[in-house]
Amino acid sequence: MAAEASPSPLSFFFIILVTVFALTPIAHSIPFIVLHGLGDKCTNRGITHFTELLGNWSGSQGYCIEIGDGTWDSWIMPLMEQTAIVCEKVKEMPELSEGYSIIGLSQGNVIARGVIEFCDGGPPVKNFVSLGGPHAGTASVPLCGTSFICILVDNLIKSGIYSDYVQEHLAPSGYLKIPTDITNYMERCRFLPKLNNEITDKNSTYKERFSSLKNLVLIMFEHDTILIPKETAWFGYYPDGSFSPTLPANKTELYIKDWIGLKTMDEAGKVKFFSVPGNHLAISRTDMKTYILPYLEDQASNRTVIMDSSSRSGSMSSSSSSSSSIRNFVMELVGLTKNRPLQLTVD
């Protein structure tokens, strides 16, 4: 009887190759949404370019979610109402039904967190990437300028930041936290105390939903002059009653008492604290690829991000040939120049 032919080396190689691919988990991209900051809109050049770049690099579909008319409503629409609009929009998008990630820019981050914590029946949020978010509040409203919207904002601020009228007509008042006026903040600020579960009757659902994230990526800008203090992007803030010192996140009551699950997530390795050079939202393409791109993949929790000083050179605002700046377009939008600082402590 003739001997059976033995498999060729090529056959063995093919079998091994198929086995390796079958056993190796393959990271795949999931859709993401972008929530822009104050005074911006989805159709502005900086936002569209930012969204397109991340979509092209990740191979995932990105969507900028607009609220009302964008620019104007980002200033005057109460944050709870803005959150409700985004909640309804994501529920109506079949592309997001299996889960999605959120990228928040400045004020857009508190709206993003509102969607995560407050949106009943919404699709699951897998990863949340925050760029310059006023998570613990912001403590100052700098000079704005002479444009019409700045004059309007100045008049609103003068009428009392925690007054009913300002809370109803100036969106950033919802996360302005004056350390020396905590009583009024707790009693009359209509958004951040609820978002951070600082309220007397803690809501366990907010904590449960927020801590269900696979990854929370917090990006702080080292030279941020818009957020006061800049460490609020990492949930750091001032102690009640004083403007100093700036407490790191893990020394704040929000973290220690785990009101929203930040401590739980941090101890589980879900929270990533990244610091990048530049002013508010001035992020380079290199840093976008290093700190944002890995978290647009469903398997991002298994990936390791290696931080190297050489990978953080340059910023979008300093090199027109290789980068672009969201911040510059925001400043142009509200009539500001480099020498005239934005008055509100956001975009």
Side-chain angles (χ1 to χ4, degrees):
M1 184 174 64
E4 293 183 5
S6 59
S8 67
L10 185 61
S11 299
F12 276 120
F13 176 76
F14 179 76
I15 293 171
I16 292 172
L17 191 64
V18 170
T19 302
V20 169
F21 274 101
L23 296 178
T24 303
I26 300 175
H28 63 281
S29 296
I30 60 174
F32 66 91
I33 68 169
V34 174
L35 296 176
H36 64 70
L38 186 70
D40 214 336
K41 62 193 307 182
C42 286
T43 55
N44 280 350
R45 190 157 47 116
I47 296 297
T48 56
H49 189 50
F50 177 82
T51 307
E52 288 169 359
L53 280 176
L54 291 174
N56 291 337
W57 292 339
S58 67
S60 178
Q61 186 63 52
Y63 307 88
C64 181
I65 304 297
E66 194 60 275
I67 300 170
D69 73 353
T71 306
W72 184 250
D73 283 327
S74 73
W75 286 90
I76 67 170
M77 185 183 292
L79 291 172
M80 196 61 75
E81 188 175 340
Q82 295 194 43
T83 298
I85 290 174
V86 177
C87 173
E88 291 306 311
K89 286 193 173 186
V90 297
K91 288 195 288 188
E92 293 170 357
M93 296 175 66
E95 307 93 326
L96 308 182
S97 61
E98 298 300 316
Y100 67 106
S101 296
I102 301 180
I103 301 173
L105 304 173
S106 197
Q107 179 176 282
N109 286 291
V110 290
I111 298 170
R113 287 182 50 212
V115 172
I116 296 168
E117 295 180 33
F118 307 151
C119 186
D120 295 327
V125 179
K126 301 289 186 71
N127 305 301
F128 173 31
V129 181
S130 164
L131 284 77
H135 295 293
T138 189
S140 178
V141 183
L143 296 176
C144 182
T146 58
S147 65
F148 169 74
I149 199 161
C150 290
I151 294 172
L152 174 63
V153 168
D154 286 343
N155 289 330
L156 286 174
I157 292 168
K158 289 173 183 176
S159 68
I161 200 69
Y162 297 128
S163 68
D164 290 341
Y165 185 81
V166 173
Q167 289 290 310
E168 291 170 2
H169 294 88
L170 183 64
S173 68
Y175 52 88
L176 188 72
K177 184 177 183 180
I178 306 300
T180 53
D181 197 11
I182 292 299
T183 299
N184 272 326
Y185 164 76
M186 290 297 297
E187 293 177 355
R188 308 189 70 178
C189 186
R190 297 189 178 181
F191 191 75
L192 194 64
K194 181 178 180 180
L195 185 70
N196 281 344
N197 227 357
E198 297 172 285
I199 52 181
T200 302
D201 297 324
K202 308 296 186 218
N203 191 314
S204 60
T205 299
Y206 302 161
K207 177 179 179 178
E208 179 183 347
R209 288 175 176 174
F210 191 61
S211 57
S212 70
L213 290 168
K214 291 181 63 177
N215 293 283
L216 171 61
V217 182
L218 301 172
I219 299 176
M220 178 181 71
F221 293 89
E222 295 170 0
H223 305 99
D224 198 326
T225 58
I226 302 301
L227 296 182
I228 310 294
K230 67 179 185 294
E231 290 81 5
T232 186
W234 283 0
F235 282 91
Y237 211 65
Y238 304 119
D240 290 355
S242 176
F243 280 86
S244 66
T246 302
L247 302 175
N250 62 359
K251 299 298 182 182
T252 64
E253 198 172 11
L254 177 145
Y255 183 99
I256 294 170
K257 295 186 177 179
D258 211 20
W259 290 335
I260 58 172
L262 183 62
K263 180 181 179 181
T264 299
M265 295 173 67
D266 190 24
E267 292 176 346
K270 291 183 175 184
V271 186
K272 283 73 178 176
F273 298 92
F274 296 138
S275 176
V276 299
N279 206 333
H280 195 59
L281 299 185
I283 189 167
S284 68
R285 293 192 185 198
T286 298
D287 284 345
M288 287 170 63
K289 290 181 178 179
T290 303
Y291 304 116
I292 303 177
L293 189 59
Y295 301 96
L296 298 184
E297 295 182 345
D298 201 16
Q299 301 294 327
S301 58
N302 296 325
R303 298 188 56 159
T304 300
V305 177
I306 301 175
M307 288 178 285
D308 186 293
S309 59
S310 63
S311 70
R312 290 168 47 181
S313 59
S315 69
M316 283 187 142
S317 58
S318 63
S319 176
S320 59
S321 61
S322 63
S323 57
S324 64
S325 174
I326 298 170
R327 176 173 170 267
N328 287 347
F329 290 112
V330 173
M331 293 180 72
E332 290 172 6
L333 180 66
V334 294
L336 299 171
T337 65
K338 291 182 179 178
N339 296 323
R340 188 169 54 179
L342 187 60
Q343 184 164 6
L344 288 176
T345 50
V346 285
D347 299 357

